[in-house]
Amino acid sequence: DAGVIQSPRHEVTEMGQEVTLRCKPISGHDYLFWYRQTMMRGLELLIYFNNNVPIDDSGMPEDRFSAKMPNASFSTLKIQPSEPRDSAVYFCASSSKIQGSQPQHFGDGTRLSIL
Amino acid sequence: KQEVTQIPAALSVPEGENLVLNCSFTDSAIYNLQWFRQDPGKGLTSLLLIQSSQREQTSGRLNASLDKSSGRSTLYIAASQPGDSATYLCAVLHAGGTSYGKLTFGQGTILTVHP
């Protein structure tokens, strides 16, 4: 099984540019999560989807951030316009259910640097 | 608001030692507690998941316990090896309210096992 796939692995761009991060969850997983990891704040949940529908986006920091899941095998996280404080590692994770004994499976992340 | 604290922040031990990592959380309304491992530049790998009704889980040299009433969990690593060097993260899955389905992470314990 291929695991959660994220692209790109690294992104360096200038302030003000649009950034799009991509995620392919594990096939058959109904839940998809976007996290951000920084030294100061650790790992924070930004948004999660169930069956392609956003369930909770209370962690999205600002209107500059948006996420979509057009189908069960693809999701994007977009930042427009980007700012230096958005620099972080962004992780996507998926799971087959919320409750019980099913852990979340994480991708290797996208390391984003905004200059 | 759920807060997860991990102690110690960093730990350095010689190979072969048994060690304990600690995690505490403030809200006992959880579905489960998960321990993850993160290697540099990589995503998180799920090690053990303890459901709220369980007391412990074991996998190889790893044993995790959960005392939900006191808000504590420990991860025990037996006969540590250099390959165990990584950051270990504890996370709790919220059971209800506005935080339903969310994982809250601790800041992690950086473990170094030297030969």
Side-chain angles (χ1 to χ4, degrees):
Chain A
D1 195 0
V4 176
I5 300 172
Q6 291 187 246
S7 64
R9 288 296 316 278
H10 304 273
E11 175 89 12
V12 181
T13 192
E14 292 190 347
M15 176 179 173
Q17 297 297 307
E18 178 178 290
V19 174
T20 300
L21 311 181
R22 297 173 176 80
C23 175
K24 177 179 169 57
I26 292 173
S27 177
H29 281 188
D30 295 331
Y31 290 86
L32 184 140
F33 307 82
W34 282 101
Y35 292 89
R36 179 171 67 176
Q37 186 177 38
T38 61
M39 288 293 293
M40 289 296 295
R41 300 175 67 91
L43 259 169
E44 300 174 290
L45 177 67
L46 300 177
I47 184 171
Y48 79 91
F49 295 82
N50 177 213
N51 291 323
N52 313 337
V53 176
I55 301 300
D56 190 330
D57 65 355
S58 59
M60 296 286 261
E62 300 172 35
D63 291 344
R64 300 183 295 106
F65 286 69
S66 63
K68 293 182 180 180
M69 192 165 186
N71 58 63
S73 59
F74 183 67
S75 177
T76 59
L77 178 67
K78 189 171 293 188
I79 308 172
Q80 168 62 22
S82 58
E83 296 183 4
R85 60 196 168 114
D86 302 330
S87 298
V89 182
Y90 291 81
F91 289 103
C92 175
S94 70
S95 68
S96 56
K97 53 195 293 189
I98 283 282
Q99 302 178 37
S101 61
Q102 302 304 315
Q104 292 182 18
H105 297 261
F106 281 71
D108 283 342
T110 295
R111 184 173 297 274
L112 177 64
S113 297
I114 309 296
L115 306 177
Chain B
K1 179 187 172 186
Q2 178 75 272
E3 292 185 5
V4 180
T5 304
Q6 291 188 243
I7 295 172
L11 184 62
S12 180
V13 300
E15 181 177 6
E17 271 203 11
N18 302 324
L19 54 97
V20 174
L21 308 182
N22 297 289
C23 172
S24 62
F25 50 96
T26 55
D27 187 346
S28 61
I30 64 171
Y31 277 128
N32 62 48
L33 183 143
Q34 301 176 41
W35 283 94
F36 292 88
R37 168 185 173 139
Q38 185 174 26
D39 293 287
K42 294 289 189 179
L44 281 66
T45 300
S46 179
L47 296 173
L48 290 165
L49 182 152
I50 311 174
Q51 298 187 57
S52 61
S53 59
Q54 297 175 324
R55 298 284 293 181
E56 67 176 342
Q57 283 287 333
T58 298
S59 176
R61 294 182 294 107
L62 305 180
N63 175 276
S65 67
L66 172 64
D67 183 342
K68 200 175 83 160
S69 60
S70 67
R72 294 181 182 178
S73 176
T74 60
L75 178 66
Y76 176 83
I77 302 177
S80 58
Q81 303 171 358
D84 295 330
S85 300
T87 297
Y88 290 80
L89 292 149
C90 162
V92 295
L93 184 66
H94 295 251
T98 57
S99 296
Y100 172 76
K102 294 182 179 180
L103 267 179
T104 297
F105 285 84
Q107 289 284 63
T109 293
I110 301 172
L111 174 65
T112 303
V113 181
H114 46 88

